[in-house]
Amino acid sequence: EDPGSRAPAPADVSSDNPLQATEDSGWGEYFRTAEVRDTIALDLERLHPGDEFYSAPDVQQALLNLLLVWSLENPRLGYRQGMHELASLVFSQRAKDAMSRDPGGHRWGHSPAAPSMGATADDVAGLENAPELSASHVEHDAYAMFAALMGADRDERRALRRVRMASFFEDPPGKGAKSGVQTACDRVYARLEKIDPALRRHLDEVGIEPQLFLLRWLRVLFSREFHLHDAMVIWDAVIATNDPNDDPNDEAMRPLSGGDEPSSQTLDSIDYANPGAMDFIESFAVAMLLFVRSDVLALDDFGSCLRRLQKFPPCEDVAALVERARTASFGKVDADGWIPKPHPAPASSAAVDPENPLGDDRRQPAAADSRDRQPPGHSPTAGGLGSRANDFLAKASTAGGAARDRASALIGRAKVRAADVMGKLKSDGDDARGNGTSNAGVMFDVGLGEPFGSSAQPELPGVEGSKGLEGSKGLEGSKGLEGSK
């Protein structure tokens, strides 16, 4: 709105001069609003690139109106980057409801302008008489839903049972105090320490501070880490744990007065017995960390570990993460043992130990925890049995050990049979020499490393002074087994 159109020009024109605008003047407010509007519009242009719904003119205009009005209604916080992503998902869900309930209404995402722009008296009457979940009410309902999600109209920083996304965008309440999102990051690490101390210890050793990856996870409520459909499943779980009927007389839920400073005990304490919506959000972050547990434990440098956390891998079953987050919100691990354990080495009598191929006692000391044994890959979503690749390798190793056992047995039997045959031939030769038959040129090697003659290479019967067929002097006149008398 042009400030000059609000009232007749004042007697002193300099007091309302756009070229000399002050903070308290109408022009000063106008310029601040225009700056916020331009910032929101710039963020909306880059919203979900490639999705035609969010780039449609009517959707862009409606989201711009929604975010601008909300920032003006909440000047203490105002607009912060990331709020447009939260508002976009709220708006899209409400628009989908309108498409199914009001097929003849406005087609959001396919029109050049929102239906409420330039409304006449007849349009206002039509809005009032529109059916429930009408397409004409999408912009209004989306604003109310977004305001409830942010919760900026409540100053209940102590209440963790209600959804209050504004706490992730607020500045620290005082000098030396932590912001809401920093406190939430610390609480996530505290929950991880209770559930998986080994993973928490590894993150500390590598030097990964929680805010390096949790800021984005929390501020956009995990919508960047998952497909939009999966993100809505997570949001449903968050809203399901929301308790809008907290007792206002409860001392723990009392709004802070202007001079109160939040104590560390109030902000950092975790109630595992009665978790709320914000507790579930923090617990879901813990479930996400456990999902990439084996990947993180396999990385020992800061850069690789941080990249793994900032680029979350695809998840096939987000519902399993939701259930684990519910369990983790109570400070427990479910009965299926979804923190994976290392695979035991396959038992094989003939197989060579890959960690001790020399067969000596120079073994490495046992690992302090399971992270030294944990194979890389994602932790399972159900039974904690490891990835399919690890299961396949374990089975292949077992099969290989059995094959080596069978091969060793066959070789042993072959050597025994060869020894029996060659022993019988030697016995026949001794009998022939006892009968006066010369057989001095015959030598035997049973293949066991102990020849029965002066050479390990056997000479053929009937071949004098040579070894093998190629070096023989012929068979005529020779004294061999075939020519012996």
Side-chain angles (χ1 to χ4, degrees):
E1 180 186 358
D2 185 352
S5 63
R6 296 179 181 177
D12 186 4
V13 180
S14 61
S15 63
D16 200 16
N17 189 346
L19 300 180
Q20 298 178 355
T22 61
E23 294 184 359
D24 299 334
S25 66
W27 283 108
E29 181 182 353
Y30 172 81
F31 289 134
R32 288 193 300 271
T33 302
E35 183 179 0
V36 174
R37 186 185 187 92
D38 293 341
T39 301
I40 297 174
L42 182 61
D43 287 343
L44 290 177
E45 290 178 2
R46 300 173 294 189
L47 176 65
H48 306 309
D51 195 320
E52 296 181 356
F53 175 82
Y54 296 102
S55 60
D58 58 342
V59 175
Q60 288 270 312
Q61 184 64 53
L63 288 175
L64 178 60
N65 295 337
L66 186 157
L67 292 167
L68 180 61
V69 172
W70 189 89
S71 64
L72 296 176
E73 290 290 328
N74 300 273
R76 183 176 62 88
L77 180 59
Y79 172 78
R80 305 290 178 90
Q81 191 175 32
M83 293 181 180
H84 65 301
E85 298 190 33
L86 298 175
S88 67
L89 296 184
V90 171
F91 187 91
S92 66
Q93 294 304 304
R94 179 60 182 85
K96 289 180 180 178
D97 291 339
M99 292 178 62
S100 60
R101 296 295 187 91
D102 188 13
H106 179 81
R107 299 279 295 175
W108 287 98
H110 303 279
S111 302
S116 59
M117 297 301 295
T120 63
D122 294 338
D123 294 331
V124 173
L127 290 175
E128 294 176 352
N129 298 326
E132 186 179 359
L133 297 180
S134 168
S136 301
H137 290 163
V138 168
E139 187 173 350
H140 315 72
D141 293 347
Y143 175 83
M145 295 163 62
F146 176 73
L149 180 67
M150 297 300 293
D153 57 335
R154 301 188 304 270
D155 193 19
E156 297 173 358
R157 293 192 294 273
R158 298 181 181 181
L160 294 175
R161 295 187 55 77
R162 295 184 179 182
V163 178
R164 190 172 184 272
M165 294 299 298
S167 64
F168 296 147
F169 296 91
E170 291 174 338
D171 297 325
K175 184 178 180 180
K178 293 183 178 181
S179 63
V181 69
Q182 180 62 61
T183 300
C185 291
D186 294 342
R187 289 166 60 91
V188 169
Y189 263 28
R191 294 176 185 273
L192 183 64
E193 175 69 26
K194 180 178 179 62
I195 294 177
D196 192 350
L199 180 57
R200 165 66 190 277
R201 183 166 56 252
H202 179 75
L203 291 173
D204 290 340
E205 291 173 354
V206 176
I208 301 296
E209 296 290 337
Q211 62 269 22
L212 295 178
F213 61 95
L214 285 176
L215 280 177
R216 187 176 75 175
W217 289 14
L218 298 176
R219 282 183 172 173
V220 296
L221 203 54
F222 314 109
S223 60
R224 287 191 186 179
E225 318 308 321
F226 296 89
H227 188 274
L228 293 182
H229 174 74
D230 292 338
M232 288 297 96
V233 175
I234 301 170
W235 284 31
D236 285 344
V238 172
I239 296 173
T241 58
N242 185 45
D243 186 2
N245 299 318
D246 286 332
D247 185 2
N249 298 321
D250 189 349
E251 182 66 20
M253 305 300 175
R254 181 180 60 85
L256 296 175
S257 61
D260 289 342
E261 289 292 339
S263 64
S264 59
Q265 180 181 1
T266 301
L267 292 179
D268 297 340
S269 61
I270 300 176
D271 183 9
Y272 290 108
N274 192 26
M278 303 302 286
D279 294 301
F280 178 83
I281 293 174
E282 296 167 2
S283 299
F284 191 85
V286 173
M288 291 175 62
L289 287 172
L290 295 177
F291 182 79
V292 294
R293 181 182 192 272
S294 55
D295 282 351
V296 173
L297 291 178
L299 302 172
D300 294 328
D301 62 293
F302 174 85
S304 300
C305 188
L306 183 60
R307 282 192 296 270
R308 172 76 287 176
L309 295 173
Q310 290 181 338
K311 189 176 181 181
F312 198 77
C315 179
E316 296 181 358
D317 189 4
V318 70
L321 285 182
V322 170
E323 290 301 321
R324 293 177 179 182
R326 288 197 180 103
T327 304
S329 65
F330 291 93
K332 301 177 181 179
V333 179
D334 64 13
D336 294 333
W338 40 274
I339 297 179
K341 301 297 187 296
H343 289 283
S348 175
S349 59
V352 178
D353 186 358
E355 296 184 1
N356 190 22
L358 299 179
D360 55 14
D361 294 329
R362 295 175 294 177
R363 296 179 179 271
Q364 298 295 328
D369 50 62
S370 62
R371 69 185 184 191
D372 297 326
R373 288 277 193 168
Q374 184 64 34
H378 304 322
S379 62
T381 58
L385 297 180
S387 64
R388 296 179 179 176
N390 293 328
D391 292 338
F392 175 79
L393 291 176
K395 294 178 181 178
S397 178
T398 303
R404 287 191 293 270
D405 290 341
R406 290 194 296 271
S408 299
L410 291 175
I411 292 174
R413 288 197 294 269
K415 286 184 177 182
V416 172
R417 185 170 184 181
D420 293 341
V421 172
M422 299 307 292
K424 184 177 181 181
L425 291 176
K426 180 178 181 300
S427 176
D428 293 342
D430 292 340
D431 293 342
R433 284 193 294 272
N435 295 330
T437 304
S438 176
N439 193 25
V442 179
M443 297 182 182
F444 304 95
D445 184 0
V446 298
L448 299 177
E450 297 179 1
F452 285 91
S454 60
S455 174
Q457 298 294 330
E459 293 184 357
L460 295 176
V463 180
E464 296 180 355
S466 64
K467 299 177 181 179
L469 293 175
E470 296 179 357
S472 64
K473 297 180 180 180
L475 299 177
E476 293 181 357
S478 63
K479 296 179 180 180
L481 292 177
E482 294 181 359
S484 62
K485 295 181 180 179

